Amino acid sequence: MNVFTSGSRQQPWVWQVTGLCFILGVLLAGSLQTVRNINRSGAASLGRIGFISPRPSQTDVQETKKLQDEISKVREEKTKLEETLAKGTGLAKTLNEELQKTKLLAGLTEVRGPGVVLIIQDSKKGPPSNRQFEKPNYIIHDYTLQQAINELNASGAEAISINGQRIISRTPIRCVGPTAIVNDVRTGSPFEIRAIGDADTLWSSLNLPDGYIDVMFRAYDPEMCRIEKRKSVVVPGYTGSTEVRYARPIETTEKSGKREARHNNEAGQDDRKETGKDRENP
Amino acid sequence: MTAWLPVGGVAGGFAVGYACFAFMNVPAGVASAYAPYLSLATLAGLDTVLGGVRAGIEGRFQDDIFVSGFLLNTLLAAGLAYLGDKIGVDLFLAAVVALGTRVFLNLSLIRRYYLTKAALGKRKEQI
């Protein structure tokens, strides 16, 4: 018995519906494969966020990257200009040398030197099934990064970066969901921490028994962390804002004993001129 | 037998699409950008198929309405999703809700038809 014979025009519509069903099948398979593709590729942690809120899209990330590259290029050019300006007299030359040293110390320049590269990532296998409550220990947190930076600084690191973000004196490292914000830039596991300094010292201070790596990773999943000594490590310069709005240097003549009085003196007009070089991004 | 043709169509299309997409291997960045549109198109397709079956059962099937309905619904849903993406409102939810409601409505009508038919058949046998 054909159940589709009730219509006035009997057969043709079954064929048309079949045709569209074919298209529907193709679309279904497409959706399925696409979603599986997304899940399988490494974009698991970041892709999920993108799916929920499409706002910080691929293009935004690329745009940010482009602008940061532009900033570092402009800062390099500035260094070159300063150097040509200082070619003449001895005084300008000394001033420029001092300026370049300050910029190096502030982390505004790309630097190269011996050091270590520490790569840490979320554990792939997770905690054993009877210890699921320990799950947080198998994930990289903001404090995991902070302690690494602290440890590296304590053992004499001169320049540090996390996933291409230079750590300067004002760098915050904060947790945002499954990722971390370093210098206002969101980044995720795996984290590549580069540090310039005495490679042996840096390496052994991280590898101390019961030290950073032991406590953070080896107790749980040693594969979360990899550390290498390198003869040459390149650490990029800081590309964020260098604006200083509130802090003003204290003039040397007033330093002795008069600080309290100065706090009440709101004018502060005269300390402006010393801070000119900090205000390059008004 | 013709009743199973649409099911066979879905199976055939699925096999072909599966093979094609597996072969293409789209990068994940691109994939996550167009995945919502594809899902919407799938939903629109499902809506049209069920609508077509229902119209066929009711004897009101017209091929031009059927095909144009599918194309326009898909385009409108994709357009809404795109616009929503641009202005920051999840407009594609409107399409999902509207299409989803119709899928359920059509399915319930089809089910009702067959249940009535089965009940009538049984009564005929008894008489």
Side-chain angles (χ1 to χ4, degrees):
Chain A
M1 184 193 80
N2 188 354
V3 290
F4 284 87
T5 47
S6 63
S8 52
R9 278 175 278 172
Q10 299 170 7
Q11 286 303 334
W13 70 268
V14 175
W15 288 103
Q16 294 193 356
V17 168
T18 305
L20 208 83
C21 277
F22 186 83
I23 298 176
L24 176 65
V26 173
L27 289 174
L28 261 178
S31 299
L32 201 86
Q33 285 279 27
T34 308
V35 171
R36 193 192 293 173
N37 248 352
I38 294 168
N39 289 344
R40 187 175 38 196
S41 62
S45 54
L46 280 168
R48 201 171 52 227
I49 297 170
F51 225 88
I52 295 167
S53 70
R55 249 45 81 195
S57 62
Q58 209 75 5
T59 46
D60 288 348
V61 173
Q62 279 162 5
E63 184 77 359
T64 312
K65 182 92 191 30
K66 217 178 81 191
L67 290 174
Q68 280 181 343
D69 285 349
E70 217 174 292
I71 290 175
S72 46
K73 215 191 282 167
V74 169
R75 287 203 174 137
E76 258 168 47
E77 262 166 36
K78 199 177 155 212
T79 309
K80 264 182 215 150
L81 284 176
E82 282 159 4
E83 264 156 16
T84 39
L85 257 178
K87 247 176 203 157
T89 58
L91 186 62
K93 208 173 155 196
T94 323
L95 265 176
N96 184 47
E97 270 166 20
E98 201 63 30
L99 177 60
Q100 298 314 326
K101 220 169 94 187
T102 315
K103 277 166 86 170
L104 183 70
L105 196 62
L108 295 177
T109 46
E110 189 176 34
V111 284
R112 181 203 296 276
V116 293
V117 174
L118 174 71
I119 296 169
I120 56 184
Q121 56 189 335
D122 294 345
S123 172
K124 286 200 175 91
K125 60 175 198 241
S129 53
N130 60 340
R131 301 185 74 78
Q132 284 298 322
F133 59 88
E134 278 199 352
K135 203 154 188 197
N137 292 331
Y138 288 76
I139 301 169
I140 307 300
H141 296 278
D142 44 352
Y143 55 77
T144 323
L145 299 172
Q146 287 160 358
Q147 288 201 18
I149 304 305
N150 201 29
E151 205 57 47
L152 288 167
N153 273 333
S155 42
E158 286 166 6
I160 306 173
S161 72
I162 295 180
N163 282 0
Q165 283 302 314
R166 177 68 170 269
I167 307 297
I168 63 161
S169 60
R170 290 165 62 178
T171 297
I173 300 174
R174 300 186 71 202
C175 161
V176 273
T179 55
I181 282 185
V182 181
N183 277 349
D184 300 335
V185 174
R186 190 162 76 176
T187 176
S189 167
F191 296 95
E192 189 197 51
I193 302 176
R194 297 179 181 187
I196 294 180
D198 182 68
D200 292 324
T201 315
L202 294 176
W203 191 87
S204 37
S205 79
L206 289 176
N207 275 298
L208 277 178
D210 265 347
Y212 175 73
I213 288 180
D214 268 5
V215 170
M216 285 287 181
F217 310 113
R218 290 217 178 103
Y220 307 107
D221 179 3
E223 280 170 24
M224 288 163 77
C225 137
R226 225 167 61 234
I227 182 165
E228 288 164 19
K229 282 187 236 182
R230 295 250 181 100
K231 284 216 173 69
S232 166
V233 180
V234 174
V235 172
Y238 175 69
T239 52
S241 160
T242 50
E243 191 183 6
V244 179
R245 268 196 285 182
Y246 300 104
R248 298 279 174 270
I250 294 164
E251 284 176 21
T252 38
T253 47
E254 295 185 60
K255 252 184 184 169
S256 49
K258 284 195 187 167
R259 281 188 198 176
E260 292 308 311
R262 196 168 172 73
H263 274 293
N264 299 327
N265 176 13
E266 287 292 315
Q269 202 62 24
D270 48 348
D271 14 348
R272 274 273 171 96
K273 61 178 186 269
E274 277 207 5
T275 60
K277 75 168 179 256
D278 291 328
R279 297 174 56 82
E280 60 190 68
N281 286 337
Chain B
M1 268 324 279
T2 42
W4 294 105
L5 269 176
V7 180
V10 172
F14 192 85
V16 170
Y18 199 85
C20 282
F21 276 84
F23 185 70
M24 267 161 41
N25 203 3
V26 194
V30 181
S32 62
Y34 78 71
Y37 297 93
L38 207 53
S39 313
L40 266 182
T42 312
L43 193 60
L46 190 64
D47 169 59
T48 316
V49 163
L50 286 177
V53 170
R54 176 194 155 192
I57 284 170
E58 291 175 352
R60 294 192 288 122
F61 185 85
Q62 277 172 298
D63 50 359
D64 46 353
I65 291 181
F66 181 65
V67 175
S68 66
F70 172 67
L71 291 179
L72 268 184
N73 280 351
T74 314
L75 284 180
L76 181 67
L80 272 182
Y82 180 76
L83 185 69
D85 208 29
K86 286 293 156 218
I87 64 178
V89 183
D90 289 336
L91 269 185
F92 75 93
L93 283 177
V96 169
V97 172
L99 291 176
T101 318
R102 280 177 35 167
V103 166
F104 277 106
L105 182 72
N106 285 333
L107 198 64
S108 82
L109 285 172
I110 293 168
R111 177 181 44 109
R112 222 167 272 240
Y113 168 77
Y114 282 113
L115 284 178
T116 317
K117 199 179 169 73
L120 280 179
K122 222 177 254 172
R123 201 178 298 166
K124 230 179 249 169
E125 275 167 26
Q126 284 169 358
I127 298 169

